[in-house]
Amino acid sequence: MAEHKPKRNDGLFIGGFTAGALVVMALLYFIAPQYLPLPQQKPEVPAKSPYEYYVILDEKTSATLMYVSVVTVTPGDEMITEENKRYVITRVEENRAYARYVEDIEIRTKKENVP
């Protein structure tokens, strides 16, 4: 049996194949991620309020203005009552929030003419 001696063409073929494979891999590395779906982040879980509900009280009369069960009440929050009175929360003690009256609000509907 005759021994196979590598020719120059074999080396050129292997070198070209290797270079081509590297180019294809580089293209896949840099271009393919643009066409793949982005990883989805988990939705942020809202912080749970330390209390089931807050009672908002008028700081002068201690009359109950509102019960709030969805959000955490903090000083500086504002609210408008059913009577269209605007209040600002001044302090929070446990699940009781005290609000200071600010002003009466005039709320117009779309049907009313604007002066």
Side-chain angles (χ1 to χ4, degrees):
M1 232 191 209
E3 224 176 282
H4 176 68
K5 292 185 179 179
K7 299 179 185 176
R8 284 188 184 169
N9 291 342
D10 289 344
L12 187 59
F13 175 75
I14 293 172
F17 181 78
T18 304
L22 288 174
V23 168
V24 169
M25 289 174 60
L27 287 173
L28 286 175
Y29 181 78
F30 290 109
I31 295 175
Q34 295 175 8
Y35 298 105
L36 295 175
L38 295 174
Q40 298 293 320
Q41 292 183 345
K42 291 184 179 180
E44 188 173 314
V45 178
K48 185 168 168 70
S49 175
Y51 301 101
E52 289 185 31
Y53 65 93
Y54 286 88
V55 179
I56 300 178
L57 307 167
D58 186 312
E59 73 176 359
K60 285 186 179 178
T61 64
S62 295
T64 300
L65 300 173
M66 186 181 293
Y67 290 90
V68 179
S69 62
V70 179
V71 297
T72 301
V73 178
T74 57
D77 289 350
E78 296 186 3
M79 60 172 263
I80 298 175
T81 64
E82 292 177 353
E83 295 82 26
N84 295 332
K85 297 181 183 292
R86 184 166 72 114
Y87 287 82
V88 175
I89 305 298
T90 55
R91 71 183 194 276
V92 178
E93 297 173 359
E94 297 180 356
N95 71 329
R96 292 180 312 277
Y98 295 91
R100 178 179 299 137
Y101 170 77
V102 176
E103 64 182 340
D104 286 330
I105 301 291
E106 182 181 331
I107 298 178
R108 291 186 227 109
T109 63
K110 289 185 179 180
K111 295 179 182 177
E112 295 177 9
N113 291 330
V114 178

